[in-house]
Structure formats: C-alpha cells, structure tokens
Amino acid sequence: MKHIKYNRNLKLVPFILIALLLSACSSKKANLVAKKPNIIMFLVDDMGWQDTSVPFWTEKTPLNEKYHTPNMEKLAANGMKFTQAYACAVCSPTRVSLMSGMNAARHKVTNWTLKRNAGPDAKDDVLDFPKWNVNGVQACDSIENTVAVTPLPQVLKENGYYTIHSGKAHFGAIGTPSENPMALGFDVNIAGHAAGAPASFQGLKNFGHDKNGKPINHWAVPGLEKYHGKDINLTEALTIEAKIAMDSALNKEKPFFLYMSHYTVHIPIEADNRYYQKYLDKGLDNVEAKYASMVEGMDASLGDLMNYLEEKGIADNTIVLFMSDNGGLSAHDRGGVLHTQNAPLKSGKGSAYEGGIREPMLVKWPGKVKAGSVCNDYLMIEDFYPSILEMADVIDYQTKQTIDGLSFVPMLLQNGNTSNNRALIWHYPNKWGHSGPGIGTCSTIREDDWKLIYWYKTGNFELYNIKEDIGETNNLNSSNPDKTHELAKKLADYLRSVEAQRPSFKESGKEALWPDEVFN
C-alpha cells in the first residue's frame, strides 16, 4: 500500500476559503455602503435670511456684520449658496412639506400644530377659518384631521439608511403617532415631540422640567435627562447626542440620514452663555445679544458636526444641506424696532412678505457641487424631498401622496434649472397670533420676478417685482393690472386643482372668493 504523506495545512483550507468569502462579502457590503452618501439635513428654527455673517444678498449689510457664523461661511466656501430659497411663513407647514414633498395648499397643514383636534388660529371679527389638518402629518391614514404620506425618512430607511432625528419634530399633535418621529421612519429620536418650541434652552433649568424631572408644561424637551442640572445649552446637547447616533450608524456600517433639527433660534430668547458676553461687548442690547448668541451657538453645532465628519474620515462622502423653516422673528420678543430685523427684506415670521418666507440655504456635496458657487434661481421647501432622494440615488420609490416638489439637483450640478417656467405657491387660510406687515389670511404666487399676494378678507392684491424691489415697497397692482390678472388666474387655478381650503365670512357664511373671482 502506497503511503500518502499528510499535510496538516490542508485542514486549514476550508477555514481559509470561508474567511476569504466573508472578506469578499464584507468588502462588497462596504463598497455598497460607500456608494451611498451620508446626508445631514441641518434645519434651523425661525432663522432669518439675514441672521448670519454669510451675505445672501448682492451686498453685505449691517446685519451680516452683527452676527458671527464662521461655520456657515466655511460651508458656503465649500458648497453652493442659494440666494432665493423659500419656505412657508410658519413652522409646521414647512416641516410637513419637507417630510412629504407636498405644497401646503395640498397637504392642508397650513398652521402650526400642538393639541389634538384643536387649532391655534387667532380669533377674527370678519373671517371663520377652514377645518384644516390640525393633527399634522402621519404615515398612517387612521388619524382624523391629518394628511397621510410616505415620509422621507421612511423611504430612506427602506433604501438602507440609518435615520436619525435630533431636535424639534413638530410633525403631529399630542396623542397622534407622529408626535414621535419614529412613527415617520426615523430609527432614532432625540428630543423630538409634538411641541414646536422648548420650555427652556438651559440644562440648569432641566430644559423645562422640575427638580423631580416632571415636565412643567407641553414645551418641556423630552429625553435629555442626563443633561439636567448641567450648565449646557440645548443646542450643544442635541449636537452631542447626534454624534453618538452617527457613531451607531458607522458601527452598523450603514449610511446615515441625520435630520439635525434645532429648536434654536425660536423663542424663548435665552442666552447661549458661551457667546453672550461677546455680543454685549459689541454694544447690542440685552435681547439682541441673547439672540445673536443663539445664532452663534447654532453655528457652533454646524461646525461640530463638520469636524466630526473630518475626524471620522467621511466628510468626502457626506452631503450637508442647511436651511431654515421660516423667516426670522420680528413681530414680537425682539430687541430694537419690530419688523426690521430682516432688512432689506420686509417684515418677518408669519408674513407673506419676503422677510417671512425667504431662507438662508447652503449645500455641500463633495465631488459634485462646485466650491464657492452661487445659485440665484428660486426653489421651495417641498423640493427637498425629491432632491434628497435623488442625491441618495433612490430612484424607484412609490408614495401615497402627490409630490409637488421638483429636484434642485440640476441647479446643484449646474446642468439645468427647475425654476424655469415654474410658479411658487404659498397658502395660509388661517390667522397667526401676532400682527405686523404682511401677516394675515392670504395666498401668494411668485413667477419669475413677479410676486402677487391676495388678501381674502378684503379681496385686495399686492404686486411686486422682487428683482427690482426686494423690500416690497412699491405695489404695482394699479399700474400693471394685466400682470395682476394673469397671476391671480394662475394662483386660483392651482388652488382649485389641489382643493385648497378657503376662509369664510362670519356674516354671510359664504366662502371667500378665489383670487380670479374678484374680477368677475
């Protein structure tokens, strides 16, 4: 019998093959993950177009000199600045449009939400307001007075993303599923609930909880108990927790979508003590020094997140989008002369004028967007839904809702323009709780450089050429009736097409006229 020499290394062959296969699978998985960019959607609450040292106008203004936002400057230098990005005039409509891709006239969450089946519309002597979707947006269709959608984070999650919510939610009323952002497809919820503002920004005040950890009111920020009693600002705490959540995504080897949704710079106007004294020393009054410190605290969060990306070696594969949910507050609680805090824009939050709806927007997309570029074409908040999905290379998806938004990716890549032959629509058949220029029950259309505002109570129009008159000081309605008629017809046609709601008159019970019916 022939002796066969045994090689003990042969018994390692199966294990080597298995290791090679596992390595190949791991490498394939890593390559798949690498192809999907991480995405940070950085949304600031109530930040005005001028609340930054980055000039979004054709020239730098005194307000740009007032604020210090070096990380916004860095983001602008490394990405694209949009000078005509728009949102709704108040917060919940914007956030629902972001999550759904729908225009507010269609989704009918036209005012801010809080309590189930109870809207916050202020009383009016002339108008009654429609039964709008006071319970916000939901992923299910079993909740009354709500709009059911396929939410943006749910689509991203289904396409391999680890989805993180950090900060203000304000999607659904108390007692509805989406008061918890996880009901909309987020894997993680950090401090998000039904309320649209914090009881306090201060850890020393437990972010609105008593010494026993009990919420003092609806506005108390949940889930940050480990920071209670500590000298830390809410903005910083949310940023720390967001970084911990991103670590989890990296450990899972999954691309992440971080919705960094800050409560700042919403009221209460409270100092970020890291920066407050600096602005007092600059000569700002007490309130404006606090406000400016909140702005810089927000900017510091942006810087911390960008530094995190660098430290983890993922900056080149991470998209950062910066936006605000409505114009800067100017009708109350601010220092100085009210309604001037967004100059040269007119008015502020809650207003149909530019100060209420025009937002600071920046996008960094390494390898795709030219550093230091500027886009002067307009876009609307609902455009973020299809744009983010396209940037994530999510093409084949189905939604419950009709998508009104158009992808602004062609503008980012400078190979197309989705603002051409397009009108933007705002619809607010409600009444906000504060007064000021342009704050009222109205619908608005912008097409090219022309903007028309229609006031339901009076049937009056205001017509402006925004390119020539950014401050909306010269109403051209009387001198250009043909343009008023043209835009009124387009506005009315769109509102009818989405079955938009109208206020009605108390005395007669009749609905207010559509914009084009005024001429009949």
Side-chain angles (χ1 to χ4, degrees):
M1 181 176 180
K2 186 176 179 181
H3 177 69
I4 300 176
K5 187 177 179 180
Y6 178 72
N7 185 342
R8 62 192 182 99
N9 289 329
L10 288 175
K11 65 180 182 179
L12 297 177
V13 170
F15 298 99
I16 293 171
L17 289 172
I18 291 170
L20 288 171
L21 286 170
L22 288 174
S23 176
C25 290
S26 177
S27 176
K28 183 178 181 181
K29 180 181 179 181
N31 287 335
L32 287 172
V33 169
K35 289 179 182 177
K36 291 279 189 185
N38 305 304
I39 301 171
I40 296 177
M41 178 71 214
F42 194 99
L43 189 72
V44 190
D45 196 8
D46 285 8
M47 182 184 179
W49 193 63
Q50 288 281 72
D51 289 347
T52 172
S53 52
V54 177
F56 282 84
W57 196 25
T58 52
E59 59 193 71
K60 202 159 192 176
T61 70
L63 286 175
N64 299 140
E65 300 289 350
K66 175 180 178 178
Y67 300 104
H68 186 216
T69 55
N71 295 297
M72 286 185 68
E73 293 177 25
K74 180 179 178 182
L75 187 59
N78 288 285
M80 177 175 284
K81 175 171 67 175
F82 286 81
T83 63
Q84 298 194 75
Y86 287 100
C88 303
V90 294
C91 48
S92 291
T94 285
R95 292 164 190 273
V96 174
S97 290
L98 174 62
M99 289 294 117
S100 69
M102 303 168 77
N103 184 269
R106 188 189 297 274
H107 64 61
K108 299 175 178 59
V109 185
T110 48
N111 207 353
W112 61 276
T113 62
L114 181 61
K115 297 179 181 179
R116 187 161 181 163
N117 294 327
D121 289 314
K123 300 291 184 183
D124 191 271
D125 293 334
V126 177
L127 295 176
D128 281 325
F129 303 107
K131 190 177 180 181
W132 55 280
N133 283 330
V134 297
N135 291 331
V137 63
Q138 310 289 335
C140 60
D141 58 5
S142 59
I143 307 299
E144 71 281 5
N145 302 322
T146 193
V147 59
V149 307
T150 305
L152 174 63
Q154 182 65 46
V155 179
L156 290 167
K157 183 177 181 177
E158 291 170 355
N159 283 272
Y161 276 81
Y162 188 71
T163 52
I164 306 163
H165 178 281
S166 183
K168 172 175 171 173
H170 210 190
F171 298 131
I174 294 169
T176 67
S178 68
E179 70 172 317
N180 185 340
M182 294 178 73
L184 295 180
F186 286 103
D187 291 301
V188 176
N189 172 34
I190 302 164
H193 64 144
S200 174
F201 284 95
Q202 310 304 327
L204 290 173
K205 295 182 179 179
N206 300 337
F207 308 124
H209 296 77
D210 65 20
K211 62 182 180 180
N212 298 315
K214 183 179 178 180
I216 61 173
N217 56 31
H218 292 311
W219 312 103
V221 181
L224 297 174
E225 289 79 8
K226 74 183 189 182
Y227 298 100
H228 288 188
K230 295 184 178 181
D231 187 12
I232 188 171
N233 192 278
L234 175 60
T235 304
E236 185 177 10
L238 293 174
T239 307
I240 293 170
E241 291 301 304
K243 291 192 288 185
I244 293 171
M246 287 188 290
D247 281 340
S248 295
L250 296 179
N251 289 336
K252 296 175 185 293
E253 296 185 315
K254 297 184 74 173
F256 60 78
F257 171 67
L258 168 62
Y259 179 54
M260 184 71 253
S261 177
H262 277 297
Y263 284 94
T264 203
V265 289
H266 198 288
I267 58 171
I269 297 178
E270 295 180 347
D272 188 321
N273 293 324
R274 295 172 292 174
Y275 310 105
Y276 176 48
Q277 187 62 45
K278 164 183 174 178
Y279 291 99
L280 289 175
D281 293 343
K282 287 179 67 172
L284 274 65
D285 68 43
N286 181 48
V287 174
E288 289 304 283
K290 289 179 181 178
Y291 188 84
S293 75
M294 295 169 75
V295 170
E296 187 160 353
M298 171 279 301
D299 185 78
S301 169
L302 177 64
D304 288 345
L305 294 180
M306 292 195 296
N307 289 339
Y308 173 91
L309 300 177
E310 293 288 348
E311 291 164 5
K312 298 296 183 178
I314 57 175
D316 288 343
N317 192 41
T318 303
I319 299 166
V320 180
L321 303 102
F322 184 104
M323 185 65 171
S324 175
D325 69 340
N326 48 247
L329 182 66
S330 70
H332 61 96
D333 286 356
R334 292 295 299 271
V337 179
L338 294 182
H339 313 301
T340 65
Q341 285 80 4
N342 299 295
L345 304 184
K346 189 174 182 178
S347 199
K349 178 180 178 178
S351 173
Y353 295 134
E354 294 292 287
I357 56 177
R358 193 186 286 216
E359 319 302 337
M361 177 180 166
L362 303 166
V363 179
K364 178 188 176 187
W365 188 2
K368 297 283 189 177
V369 170
K370 182 180 178 182
S373 54
V374 177
C375 180
N376 295 313
D377 302 309
Y378 57 62
L379 57 85
M380 191 67 171
I381 186 64
E382 54 259 31
D383 297 343
F384 278 79
Y385 188 108
S387 302
I388 287 173
L389 291 178
E390 183 174 349
M391 296 165 85
D393 198 29
V394 177
I395 306 300
D396 187 18
Y397 59 93
Q398 301 293 320
T399 64
K400 298 176 184 177
Q401 71 276 19
T402 299
I403 304 297
D404 293 299
L406 300 176
S407 173
F408 51 74
V409 168
M411 277 118 82
L412 285 172
L413 303 181
Q414 297 181 310
N415 62 11
N417 186 344
T418 50
S419 69
N420 287 340
N421 302 311
R422 181 195 187 187
L424 303 183
I425 305 291
W426 293 263
H427 185 57
Y428 192 71
N430 309 84
K431 185 175 183 179
W432 197 40
H434 304 277
S435 60
I439 296 174
T441 308
C442 63
S443 292
T444 305
I445 182 171
R446 176 165 178 193
E447 187 176 60
D448 300 325
D449 295 327
W450 292 98
K451 177 179 174 182
L452 183 74
I453 305 171
Y454 170 63
W455 302 101
Y456 283 97
K457 184 183 291 189
T458 62
N460 291 338
F461 293 97
E462 294 181 42
L463 177 69
Y464 299 101
N465 187 298
I466 298 301
K467 184 176 182 180
E468 297 176 359
D469 181 21
I470 195 171
E472 295 167 287
T473 60
N474 186 19
N475 182 2
L476 301 173
N477 174 48
S478 297
S479 61
N480 199 337
D482 289 345
K483 180 57 70 173
T484 295
H485 280 66
E486 175 192 343
L487 292 178
K489 179 68 165 60
K490 290 181 178 180
L491 176 59
D493 284 347
Y494 178 80
L495 295 176
R496 288 190 188 96
S497 74
V498 299
E499 300 180 340
Q501 297 170 304
R502 287 177 286 169
S504 59
F505 290 98
K506 288 180 179 291
E507 186 175 341
S508 67
K510 293 182 178 179
E511 285 186 311
L513 297 175
W514 293 115
D516 60 346
E517 290 178 336
V518 173
F519 309 112
N520 295 338

